[in-house]
Amino acid sequence: MTATAAPPGDIDVDVAMRTTDLGLSYSARPAFAGVSLALRRGTVTALVGPSGCGKSSFLSCLNRLYELVPGTTVSGSVTMDGVDVLGANIDVVRHRRRVGMIFQKPNPFPMSIRKNLDFPMREHGLRADERASRLEGALQEVGLWDEVKDRLDSAALALSGGQQQRLCIARALALSPEVVLLDEPCSALDPLSSGVVEDHVASLRGRYTVVVVTHNLAQARRLADHTAVFWARAGAGYIVEQGPTQVIFEDPQESVTRAYVGGVRG
């Protein structure tokens, strides 16, 4: 598959990424299929729905992490700036810098707080002075600087769960991504830490395009500008309904959506 660029007139500058008829299969078993979704620049999009509907697998397509799983096949397209990022001639390392990923369970490197941020920046070729500036800025963005500035050379694994998750978000932000993907970022945290992380995710609005998978419908309603409801049909996930979050929760058009947001199903 080669990357193809859309004609200039077909590029919507308000859309950071767009998927068209996207599908992913693991060893010929479909995880999801036919997903078309526009991710508006500077907004927060929530992906909700029961487990097993392909939400996390969908995220893995946006920054090509699915390639790390043997036997995966993908169909359809994912475009960014009019270019299909699933193409063979895409610089995947550069693309993953543009599209950062934060996982469900905090995964700091087994090294110091400072090195957790410095290491990936150094690997991406940033100069020492720029790395130092970005380190402080990223920790400021997630409200962690004042908590750790006097112990940057202490082990990151000694931080609390919520602090570790914010460190992982800061690690992604230090690379100046355009899109930030979060796969259930609060599900492994206690309620207090979850609230802190959620507040900082909300603060990314306007500066980054954020996509968050969550099973917490109240969280989706609080955080997201747009919501896509995933469901499963014949074993494959698909989007049953998508739109502004207020509409999805207050005036859904599909009976499945009404049942799900109303707590009847899912």
Side-chain angles (χ1 to χ4, degrees), residues 22 38 54 72 125 147 149 210 218 250 263-264:
L22 185 65
T72 56
E147 298 174 31
K149 63 182 179 182
V210 179
E250 296 181 6
V264 177

Side-chain angles (χ1 to χ4, degrees), residues 116-175:
N116 259 270
L117 276 71
D118 188 75
F119 176 74
M121 289 191 287
R122 188 173 67 248
E123 290 297 302
H124 280 276
L126 275 67
R127 301 187 313 273
D129 58 339
E130 187 175 6
R131 297 200 305 269
S133 173
R134 288 195 183 197
L135 181 146
E136 180 175 347
L139 291 173
Q140 291 274 17
E141 280 200 277
V142 299
L144 202 53
W145 175 251
D146 288 339
E147 298 174 31
V148 303
K149 63 182 179 182
D150 297 323
R151 49 177 175 145
L152 292 175
D153 294 313
S154 299
L157 293 175
L159 297 172
S160 70
Q163 288 175 322
Q164 288 185 22
Q165 190 65 300
R166 284 188 284 152
L167 178 65
C168 293
I169 296 172
R171 190 172 63 196
L173 298 183
L175 295 175

Side-chain angles (χ1 to χ4, degrees), residues 22-165:
L22 185 65
L24 177 72
S25 296
Y26 297 108
S27 300
R29 185 175 64 84
F32 68 88
V35 171
S36 297
L37 182 64
L39 303 174
R40 312 300 296 185
R41 202 177 300 276
T43 65
V44 179
T45 298
L47 311 181
V48 302
S51 297
C53 292
K55 302 182 297 299
S56 297
S57 295
F58 175 80
L59 284 192
S60 77
C61 290
L62 300 183
N63 68 348
R64 291 181 57 159
L65 277 179
Y66 69 87
E67 294 178 330
L68 303 179
V69 180
T72 56
T73 56
V74 65
S75 58
S77 67
V78 179
T79 55
M80 193 171 188
D81 298 329
V83 175
D84 187 353
V85 301
L86 301 180
N89 61 339
I90 290 294
D91 183 336
V92 177
V93 173
R94 179 176 179 272
H95 178 67
R96 289 178 183 156
R97 176 176 171 177
R98 298 178 71 193
V99 184
M101 180 79 173
I102 294 90
F103 297 94
Q104 177 178 3
K105 184 178 179 181
N107 61 340
F109 302 143
M111 52 183 65
S112 71
I113 296 167
R114 186 193 310 276
K115 288 183 178 179
N116 259 270
L117 276 71
D118 188 75
F119 176 74
M121 289 191 287
R122 188 173 67 248
E123 290 297 302
H124 280 276
L126 275 67
R127 301 187 313 273
D129 58 339
E130 187 175 6
R131 297 200 305 269
S133 173
R134 288 195 183 197
L135 181 146
E136 180 175 347
L139 291 173
Q140 291 274 17
E141 280 200 277
V142 299
L144 202 53
W145 175 251
D146 288 339
E147 298 174 31
V148 303
K149 63 182 179 182
D150 297 323
R151 49 177 175 145
L152 292 175
D153 294 313
S154 299
L157 293 175
L159 297 172
S160 70
Q163 288 175 322
Q164 288 185 22
Q165 190 65 300

